[in-house]
Amino acid sequence: MRAGTLPALLAGVSLLLASCGGSGGGSGGGSGGTPTPTPGPTGNNLYAVPAAEALSIADVQTIIARAAAEARAHNLPAVISVVDRVGNVLAVFRMTGARAAATTSAAPNGANIDAQNLLIPAEAGAIAKAVTGAYLSSSGNAFSTRTASQIVQPHFPPAPSTAGLESGPLFGVQFSQLPCSDLSARYVSGGSGALIGPKRSPLGLSADPGGFPLYKNGVVVGGIGVMADGIYGFDPNTLDIDNDPEEYIALAGTVGFEAPENIRANRIFVDGTQLRFSDSSYAGLMSSGTPSYAATDPALGNLVAVRGYFGTPSPMILAGTAYGSEASGIRAATPAEFSNRDAFILTDGSGVNRFPVRAGTDGGDIAQPLSAAETKAVLEEAFTIMSRARAQIRQPLDSRAQVTVSLVDTRGAVLGIVRSPDAPIFGTDVSLQKARTAAFFSNAGAGAQLLGDPSADVRGFVAATRTFLNDSTALTGRIAFTDRAGGLLSRPYFPDGEVGRPNGPLSRPIAQFNPFSTGLQSALILSNLGQHLAFVTGANPTDTPQRCTFIPDAATGQNRLQNGIQIFPGSVPIYRGSVLVGAVGVSGDGIDQDDMIGFLGLNNGGQRVGGIGNAPVAIRADTIVVPVGSGVRLRYINCPFAPFLDTSTQNVCAGL
């Protein structure tokens, strides 16, 4: 599918979302009151494992009833979705009279491509918002879709008066958790492995206010998302206070399941900027009393099935699964899997590691692929660096960083994934995107692979990059690229944020840009998104495959960018001498922390086993001076000030 065809394909698709009344039974209620903090680590562990909390069926009923009561008070029928922490959709409730669809924001110049000005099912938007609230949050930070909006725009913080500032720290994260991702588990009804996560999102992560995390006893257990106003957008100005009914409706659903005040986004600062959690307040809620689900369904609406996500063949409210349990798909690692005593891994729900440590699969491409021992050494050393690092986005201050680390070979095959106990879920898919992106753009075949994409739009980014860098050999493996370097080339201003400068060659021009259209990142997955939304609505009998992008395969059934690319920092390619052999990606905390964990983890892992390490200094992307103005040097990595909790050492990445 070529750019520009997706809105036309879906604009006339009627919604075929089946519905029926009623729900399953259950017991238990909301947490109520002020959540208590998660207990600290015990014994020899450095990290606390989140308590085994989960939403019950009665909890979900309460959440829906409260949200629906607030929607009725606003006279704005809504679609309400509730998910658990690993993304299982527990309910989708459509109020009578709720809008069937919503439209994404248009391009500033009207050149609507990618996912701009796109008609989407309201259910898809509600699920994406709920997933965002759950996935961006942890026991140390509570982020909403309003928080997401703040951190994905071309200037941070986004506002008319902040032009000239750099882009949001998670610029591009909205194109993660994609419906085509091979990492994300897909919905199945019952049976073994039905509840394993992380699950995918129909639209990636959402920047449209109206999505919040849900907590029980200080532990994040899921998220709520609401679609009601027919607009799936973002907030371009965080300096004013919006009166957003969708946000009030979603906030009402969190009553009794509120995020602890001391970890909400507004208690967290990034580069001196206070993050935003909500423009709505509990004091401003219009509904009162304690509505019951019995008085909500069918009086105000009913549950609806959403193809690929919930309720087929018959919608019934589900209980959430407790994060950290085998059933959730994320559990503590055994000593045989990782030596780090706090390590967690992804499993299939039956005890089997989904991404066990293994050797590289690319023996047909390079002389000496990564061995299993080398893979394990890098992952374990990166985990050790993380456990010493001071977190950027967690409360209380001086908490330890918590992230997911992924390692791939030059074909993008996953050689291992490890995470800390309470790392935000979003970083799982993102860390893999980052690793694959670094391996791809550092590969000798990067340009040729992009030129093999069926989309002329995608192919055009190769020539744009070579022209912009004044280098006809760009994207041929001569330079080692990190996500920080490639991300700078993916900004609508270069240098980042500087108004009046040209767009980077992997970005859309600023007049055409918005969070639904970033450039190469969005162009690569346009066809996948169209396939999936047509499947959700019933217009297409088959879903998009677990394979993002249509570039040629590296090997049969093996795509180098199988879950898309990522364009914010946190990855480094792995070299054996001057030969690319893989990449490591890190995500879940501040971007400088992510950079440092990958860079030092690879350095230390290479020293431990010998033979591998970071790219030779002479070929790193920071050797490139872009001919803009008097010349702008790319960045390779950026490590934080005062990075460790156990030493006051500074400049820990210098000279490596």
Side-chain angles (χ1 to χ4, degrees), residues 413-437:
V414 183
L415 304 188
I417 297 177
V418 64
R419 51 181 282 115
S420 61
D422 190 41
I425 299 296
F426 86 93
T428 317
D429 185 70
V430 171
S431 67
L432 181 55
Q433 286 183 319
K434 289 181 181 181
R436 284 173 167 164
T437 303

Side-chain angles (χ1 to χ4, degrees), residues 7 104-108 111-118 512-517:
T104 62
S105 298
N112 296 307
I113 59 177
D114 299 336
Q116 295 170 308
N117 202 36
L118 172 68
Q512 191 181 308
F513 173 90
N514 77 19
F516 307 106
S517 177

Side-chain angles (χ1 to χ4, degrees), residues 13-42:
V13 175
S14 61
L15 298 179
L16 301 176
L17 302 172
S19 65
C20 72
S23 69
S27 61
S31 58
T34 302
T36 56
T38 303
T42 58

